Amino acid sequence: VAPDLPTAVDEILRRARAVRPAVPRVGRAGTVLVVRSDSIGDVLVTGPGIRAVAAGAQRVVLLCGPRGRAAAELLPGVDELIEWPLPWIDGSPAPVDPADMRALTGRLAQVGADEAVVFTSYHQSPLPIALLLRMAGVPRISAISDDYPGSLLDIRHRVPVGVPEPERALSLAAAAGFALPPGDEPTLRLRDAATVALSGTGGAPAGDYVVVHPGSSVPARACPAQRCADIVAALVTHGHQVVVTGGPDERDLTAQVAAAGGTDLGGTVDLAGLARILAGARCVVVGNTGPAHLAAALGVPVVSLFAPTVPFGQWGPYRVPTVRLGDAGAACRDTRAAVCPVAGHPCLSAVDPADVVAAVRVLAPDPPR
């Protein structure tokens, strides 16, 4: 939030400069190993940065974690995937296993990378993986690091707090000398092949519909089930066909929410199938979780039921029409809590279903009656 217009202009111009290399590369890099562990949403918001690397490299290998693998498979610019859980990144990590770390180092050495770009979120350190990359023989490593990296990094990049995660990743790519090609806007995108597959009908309902996705990767960011059911009921009352989506472990949740008049598709499709469903929606009602970023990658408007545990400016749906609902000043603000620290989850339990109906009306015209 800028206090005045000149400050806002300065920040816009600073962010525009940050995603352009100060010294453009001469020729293409060889094999570049990019790293982005963590979950679906984290991988998706790194997409523009990975596309920038791909535009300046002959080959891109992405190291990701098990929770982000499905999203990584949908990203443009990735030639090969390596899936490996990183215990300093995963939210529920297994103990560090020296044999596993030796095996990972050996696998990284097999890539034969000419350089590596380590993408992280603002609260994560790139230094553990940078150490393994050095041990694997990678000669040039770039990452964002507030901590002193010693000889672990060749490019130590800094980013101000609050920058949207896609731009944060793009600025690191720029610091390493990579930029998006002309005509490629820094939006989230899926692979062309994935986009073509979305034209199929498998898993996607017929007709005009709104998607409500009640689940979230962590409880603190999820709108309470009963309030989501109330939202579905209100949308149905106002003439919308509503589709309720969720993962295989959310079937009970989606059944409860859809009972208010929606079509329950919980647990029926994988991430690519969910993308197909979202692509056909007029609007998506969702919290701060991976499907919000998947909708953004498809250009679908989002009603964002956003818990303020992390900054909206960093993690809100990027460059798509969005209406944010929820108490932005709630006591949980900026706590990064995974479980709501306030009784009753007031930041989202107080969302008025009528406000969701109004937001859908703003983002997409009412369906014919």
Side-chain angles (χ1 to χ4, degrees), residues 53-191:
V53 173
Q58 296 177 14
R59 180 169 172 258
V60 172
V61 179
L62 170 60
L63 171 64
C64 66
R67 293 187 299 146
R69 172 70 185 253
E73 291 175 342
L74 299 177
L75 288 184
V78 178
D79 299 299
E80 181 184 348
L81 286 175
I82 299 173
E83 177 188 322
W84 212 289
L86 302 181
W88 54 90
I89 297 291
D90 287 354
S92 301
V96 175
D97 181 354
D100 185 64
M101 292 298 99
R102 286 191 292 269
L104 174 56
T105 304
R107 181 65 184 89
L108 296 175
Q110 291 173 3
V111 172
D114 299 289
E115 61 182 284
V117 181
V118 180
F119 295 105
T120 53
S121 291
Y122 72 102
H123 60 280
Q124 296 170 341
S125 172
L127 300 185
I129 191 64
L131 175 60
L132 298 188
L133 290 167
R134 279 287 189 242
M135 294 173 66
V138 179
R140 185 175 191 262
I141 304 172
S142 303
I144 297 170
S145 182
D146 291 325
D147 297 321
Y148 173 63
S151 59
L152 297 181
L153 300 179
D154 299 282
I155 304 295
R156 179 194 184 188
H157 185 49
R158 302 285 190 92
V159 180
V161 174
V163 173
E165 290 289 309
E167 291 181 25
R168 190 174 189 275
L170 263 177
S171 74
L172 171 59
F178 298 102
L180 288 170
D184 187 355
E185 289 293 316
T187 55
L188 309 190
R189 283 204 295 110
L190 304 183
R191 288 188 293 110

Side-chain angles (χ1 to χ4, degrees), residues 34-35 49 62 91 93 107 112 133 136 139 147 161 193 209 217 254 290 296 313 340 352 358:
V34 295
V35 179
L62 170 60
R107 181 65 184 89
L133 290 167
D147 297 321
V161 174
Y209 59 92
S217 56
T254 59
C340 183
D352 188 341

